[in-house]
Amino acid sequence: LDAAYATPYDCPGYRMPTAAEWEYAARAGTTTPTYYNAEFPTLGCQYNWVLAEIAWFCNNSDGVPWPWGWLTPNAWGFTDTSGNVREWTESLYTNQHGEEPLEEELRRVHRGGSFGQTDNQCRSGDRDKDIWFCQNPDDCRNRGLGFRVVRGVPQ
């Protein structure tokens, strides 16, 4: 986020979504605790037919990311919000008590799960953070992590 903007919502151009915006779009109006297409108990890496309809995860991905858009979209047309690659958001990770992160903990929230993760990690409500620090960006490549962009609404 450019320091010229007080909040991500002030940005008139393209940006990463906040964690809350990402989850709202991923759920597409649903309230089920696990996935936007149905409620289903998590089974780890065992076959999960509910998740297999909407996500590439450790059971059906063959250990690689897949081209975008091959599986069933949610009610708002978004695909790959569960599984395939985790997605960076604009939001900084805080602990469950909402305390501000320390400077050395300034890590972005990841959402959505990836092709190598279990079904529990692909839940709409799951969140994680960066778990590494890199001095050289070339050393920080992670094929299980990506992002999508949103665009601010012109005032």
Side-chain angles (χ1 to χ4, degrees), residues 16-127:
M16 291 187 296
T18 65
E21 288 173 321
W22 186 96
E23 185 172 348
Y24 184 75
R27 289 184 180 277
T30 63
T31 58
T32 56
T34 53
Y35 319 116
Y36 64 77
N37 62 331
E39 177 58 30
F40 196 81
T42 55
L43 303 170
C45 210
Q46 296 177 37
Y47 185 71
N48 176 331
W49 67 270
V50 169
L51 186 58
E53 289 181 0
I54 63 170
W56 300 109
F57 69 112
C58 61
N59 182 274
N60 67 348
S61 70
D62 293 328
V64 296
W66 286 76
W68 172 86
W70 284 22
L71 299 176
T72 306
N74 69 17
W76 295 349
F78 292 107
T79 61
D80 298 311
T81 58
S82 296
N84 209 15
V85 296
R86 286 186 78 76
E87 296 180 22
W88 259 330
T89 69
E90 182 65 39
S91 302
L92 294 176
Y93 189 91
T94 58
N95 67 26
Q96 292 181 356
H97 302 293
E99 298 163 354
E100 289 296 317
L102 300 173
E103 186 172 333
E104 64 272 13
E105 296 175 337
L106 294 179
R107 300 175 183 173
R108 302 281 177 210
V109 174
H110 300 170
R111 302 300 297 264
S114 79
F115 61 88
Q117 293 183 302
T118 66
D119 59 358
N120 189 49
Q121 294 166 306
C122 295
R123 293 177 302 109
S124 299
D126 189 59
R127 67 186 195 113

